Amino acid sequence: MSPSSRPQRLRALALLTGAVAMAGVLSLVVSNPSLEDYEAHAGDQLVALGTKELCDAPTLPMVVRLWIRNCPELIAAQRDALAALAGQFTTRRNLVVASLYSTRMGGQQLLPGLRLPGFDVLSLGVAGRFVILRTDASGGT
């Protein structure tokens, strides 16, 4: 290898490395999830949580449980409404290559003697995915 070709190879390697890094950053920018993406994700999570809390555990009064024939299906039918509700209580902090979503909701009265549990969730949206960083829940009464 001649002494003059070595700096050219290093320059080419530096350009290639820079191009790959720029492509990686650009792909993160393009795949940064929107608030609508987060709402859809939150709707799915709330359906799963609601099914677990209301249908799987004996949270509902016996009379209500006898009246509701298919509790999981009833909650799943509310997915869009739950997603929109989560969107109302969510703030997004756009970091260009990722986003932080902070959702605080709960404490609303559902039925006499049944209050929606409060929760605070901090999620990171990156590369089209969501990672829950922190959760804090307070029980309903």
Side-chain angles (χ1 to χ4, degrees):
M1 179 182 320
S2 72
S4 65
S5 69
R6 190 161 197 221
Q8 288 177 338
R9 285 182 185 241
L10 287 176
R11 216 172 321 163
L13 182 60
L15 283 173
L16 179 63
T17 302
V20 169
M22 190 64 125
V25 168
L26 184 60
S27 70
L28 287 176
V29 169
V30 169
S31 65
N32 187 2
S34 67
L35 184 57
E36 291 78 22
D37 295 331
Y38 179 76
E39 285 179 9
H41 167 74
D44 292 339
Q45 296 297 311
L46 288 171
V47 165
L49 179 64
T51 301
K52 179 181 171 189
E53 292 292 323
L54 296 175
C55 303
D56 298 343
T59 305
L60 295 174
M62 179 61 87
V63 173
V64 175
R65 283 189 289 165
L66 290 173
W67 184 58
I68 297 174
R69 298 216 183 258
N70 191 345
C71 183
E73 186 177 300
L74 178 67
I75 292 175
Q78 303 307 312
R79 182 192 170 282
D80 292 340
L82 291 170
L85 184 65
Q88 290 176 359
F89 293 97
T90 298
T91 56
R92 177 184 184 213
R93 187 175 200 190
N94 189 348
L95 307 174
V96 182
V97 295
S99 291
L100 284 173
Y101 298 88
S102 178
T103 304
R104 289 180 176 205
M105 65 184 294
Q108 293 86 357
Q109 190 78 24
L110 292 179
L111 297 169
L114 182 63
R115 183 174 297 277
L116 184 65
F119 63 90
D120 182 8
V121 179
L122 180 64
S123 301
L124 174 69
V126 62
R129 304 269 184 196
F130 297 95
V131 178
I132 297 174
L133 301 176
R134 179 179 44 93
T135 61
D136 184 24
S138 62
T141 355

